Structure formats: C-alpha cells, structure tokens
Amino acid sequence: LLPLPPKDLSLTRKSNGDVLLSFGTSYYNQGNGPLELRADHETAGIRKDIERNVFQRIYDTQGNFRDKLVGVFLWHQSHLHYHFADFIIYDLEAVNIPGEHDLSGVRSKSTFCVRDTSKIALTLQNVPEKAGYLICGKEKQGISVGWADTYFYNYPDQNLNLGNLPSGIYKLSFIVNPENWFEEVSVDNNKSSVIIELNMKKLTVKVLEEAPKNSPKIEHIYYEQVFK
C-alpha cells in the first residue's frame, strides 16, 4: 500500500482560536492481488454497532485463499459506516519553528473505510476496469490492484488540530498499515510526506517538498462514500 503525499492542504481557524490543518489522503495498491478485508462471519447479522474482528483474505494464483486476523471494524458515526481501526497515522513534526513545542498531540491514528475510489496511471497486472470494492460494507471492504482509496480534504476528520502552534516549517507524514498487520509484498513504501511552510496569521500553506517526488497520476472516479 503506497500513500501519495498529502494534497489540498489548507488552514482554517475555529471559533476557539485553534487552527485546523486540512488535507486530502490517497493510498493505492501496487501489489499482485487485492487487499481484501472480511468481517468475522460469526458476528454477521448482529444489528448492534459492535467491534467486529477482521480477516485479510490472501489469494494465490490459482484462486485459493487463506484468512489472517488483522484487526477490527468499528462503526464511525461521523461517516455513518464501518471503518477499519488504526489504518493510517498522520504525523506532524517540527522542521524549523521558533522555540520548543510539544507536537505529540498532533500525531493521530485514523480509521478508514477501505474501498476503490480512484484509478492510478500505472501499467500493472490484474487491474480490474471497474471498482471491485465500491461500498463501505460491514462484511467486506478492499482495494483492488491499480486502484486507490481517497479521502478528500472536506471529509469529516480529514484534519489535524494544530492548536496555537507558531508559524514555521513542518513535516506532515502519512504512514499506512502502521502496525504491519497486513501481509504485503513490501512494507518499505508505506510512508509519504510533505515539507510545508505554515503561516498561522495569514492561514496559508506552502508546499516546499514532497516525498516521494514522482507520484503517479490519479483519476478520481467515485467522490461519494457509499455504504449499506
């Protein structure tokens, strides 16, 4: 799972004076097969919004599969569907700011609905023409080869509360699969970042550097979050 550097960064001030840093998030599947997550069948049909164990279904080239316990699905009230817990970490670090400031509260683990929303401009094998995982289901979610999951900057919780941090240069990083629960071809490329200059008075963001520098083009196809 490869995250793209943060996009559409912006600052807004809340009524209490705190400043929010909003951003868009995309990660994509460049592996040999889909990342498929299935809820424990023993809890199927339970009408209460409970935590449900989730298994990664790992396929071989003959279509056989095995299941590996990787985490839980949680009901996300703001989005009104199920999310996989602790899917990504958002981390803000100081690069060049005046004084010493505790940024530990800005580091955040986020839950995600895992689905196909965007196509990646890459030549890969086993890429489906249509989305294989479209809904934020409570039984199955996933991301197909050559597809990306995008959380746009205006979705709920797509921000970090910076409080009253000073203007300066910061590094914002995304880390997908932070606990290495999922089996992947490689986990060495699960991080992306941007170096940004924040002006907290003017509420402006300037991107100084992206990593990785050369990201593939992405075509957003599904903007709405679909669930049932």
Side-chain angles (χ1 to χ4, degrees), residues 87-167:
F87 186 83
I88 193 169
I89 286 178
Y90 302 139
D91 188 25
L92 189 72
E93 305 169 73
V95 175
N96 185 6
I97 62 173
E100 294 185 4
H101 295 269
D102 181 12
L103 273 70
S104 59
V106 185
R107 184 181 178 92
S108 173
K109 284 186 177 180
S110 183
T111 63
F112 260 43
C113 158
V114 184
R115 68 188 190 100
D116 298 335
T117 63
S118 311
K119 293 196 75 172
I120 295 294
L122 292 172
T123 302
L124 301 170
Q125 294 183 337
N126 306 318
V127 179
E129 182 62 29
K130 296 182 179 181
Y133 306 92
L134 183 57
I135 68 168
C136 295
K138 64 178 182 179
E139 303 299 334
K140 183 175 71 172
Q141 297 182 15
I143 184 76
S144 302
V145 177
W147 282 76
D149 185 10
T150 299
Y151 269 54
F152 299 98
Y153 73 95
N154 54 355
Y155 280 8
D157 303 325
Q158 275 303 110
N159 54 63
L160 293 174
N161 190 340
L162 307 185
N164 58 356
L165 288 175
S167 299

Side-chain angles (χ1 to χ4, degrees), residues 130-219:
K130 296 182 179 181
Y133 306 92
L134 183 57
I135 68 168
C136 295
K138 64 178 182 179
E139 303 299 334
K140 183 175 71 172
Q141 297 182 15
I143 184 76
S144 302
V145 177
W147 282 76
D149 185 10
T150 299
Y151 269 54
F152 299 98
Y153 73 95
N154 54 355
Y155 280 8
D157 303 325
Q158 275 303 110
N159 54 63
L160 293 174
N161 190 340
L162 307 185
N164 58 356
L165 288 175
S167 299
I169 298 175
Y170 295 82
K171 181 180 181 180
L172 175 62
S173 299
F174 292 167
I175 306 165
V176 179
N177 189 21
E179 307 296 339
N180 291 333
W181 285 329
F182 304 142
E183 287 194 21
E184 301 187 60
V185 174
S186 173
V187 295
D188 296 334
N189 50 15
N190 285 11
K191 183 177 180 179
S192 68
S193 63
V194 285
I195 304 296
I196 51 179
E197 183 176 0
L198 303 181
N199 187 314
M200 305 296 276
K201 291 184 178 180
K202 296 182 179 179
L203 298 179
T204 59
V205 183
K206 182 179 180 181
V207 176
L208 304 178
E209 183 179 328
E210 293 185 348
K213 293 183 179 180
N214 299 313
S215 298
K217 292 183 179 180
I218 184 168
E219 178 188 2

Side-chain angles (χ1 to χ4, degrees), residues 37 39 50-52 54 72-74 82-84 137-138 141:
L37 304 178
I50 61 172
E51 290 188 12
R52 302 186 66 194
V54 173
V72 295
F73 276 161
L74 302 172
Y82 281 87
H83 280 200
F84 183 86
K138 64 178 182 179
Q141 297 182 15

